[in-house]
Amino acid sequence: MQLPLSVDRTSPVPLWFQLSQQLEAAVERGTLTPGSLLGNEIDLAGRLGLSRPTVRQAIQALVDKGLLVRRRGVGTQVVHSQVKRPLELSSLYDDLEAAGQRPATVVLANRVEPATAEVAAALGVPEGSDVRFLERLRYAHDEPMARLRNHLPAGLLDLDGALLEETGLYRMMRGAGITLHSARQSVGARAATAAEAGLLGEEAGAPLLTMERTTFDDTGRPVEFGSHVYRASRYAFEFQLLVRP
């Protein structure tokens, strides 16, 4: 595919970064679709009048981000665009589906267990009382993206395991007549444990994004406490900031 690429040699922005940004934008827009080949580095360098090391640095930056992969005997191939999720009260399943990312779910746990002190405080229930615990692995384009852990008040709704693998938790809650109104959320980062790395297809110690959220219904009742980890190489949270007048 002959992408409309160009570089501005009068710009203070490094040439490799200009090229990398244009290639990343093409992946994000879907101009370069998952599975498509980027093309020969020599040809690309020749088209743009760049050195091979410059082109290689631009491509390597996207390989490091997980957008491209080098395959022996195949070439440089597009994996997929990074999922950018807005910080709002929505489910990962719905966000992936809206972005055309083909979400899929594997339910790892679906059981009733005693509430820890942290879970009890989040849900406003006595410590040691029964709560529903869910653990799921969320995929996009057949690749693991996140491990999701949720605690809900016992008896809040019927959580059928088969249905949980076909749709999102928030969609099931809304279908049960629960009106999700607001949430308290915190986002962080840490290194992957060996167990998390095995689930997510990363190396132990790889960077993970973390998110904890307590969700409330329209009566102010806590209806869900989530503690999730996401692959930083495949996932980002997106903020919109407003300037105070």
Side-chain angles (χ1 to χ4, degrees), residues 28 34 80-84 95-104 139-142 145:
E28 296 288 351
H80 53 68
S81 60
Q82 187 182 51
V83 176
K84 295 183 178 179
D95 290 338
L96 290 173
E97 190 173 64
Q101 294 282 341
R102 294 206 325 263
Y139 288 78
H141 289 298
D142 301 320
M145 298 289 293

Side-chain angles (χ1 to χ4, degrees), residues 84-107:
K84 295 183 178 179
R85 184 180 183 185
L87 279 178
E88 58 187 31
L89 187 51
S90 62
S91 75
L92 175 58
Y93 189 96
D94 290 341
D95 290 338
L96 290 173
E97 190 173 64
Q101 294 282 341
R102 294 206 325 263
T105 306
V106 173
V107 177

Side-chain angles (χ1 to χ4, degrees), residues 1-5 31-32 37-40 43-44 47-48:
M1 180 180 296
Q2 292 292 311
L3 295 172
L5 302 172
T31 306
L32 284 173
L37 293 173
L38 188 59
N40 187 286
D43 293 341
L44 191 55
R47 280 179 54 202
L48 298 174

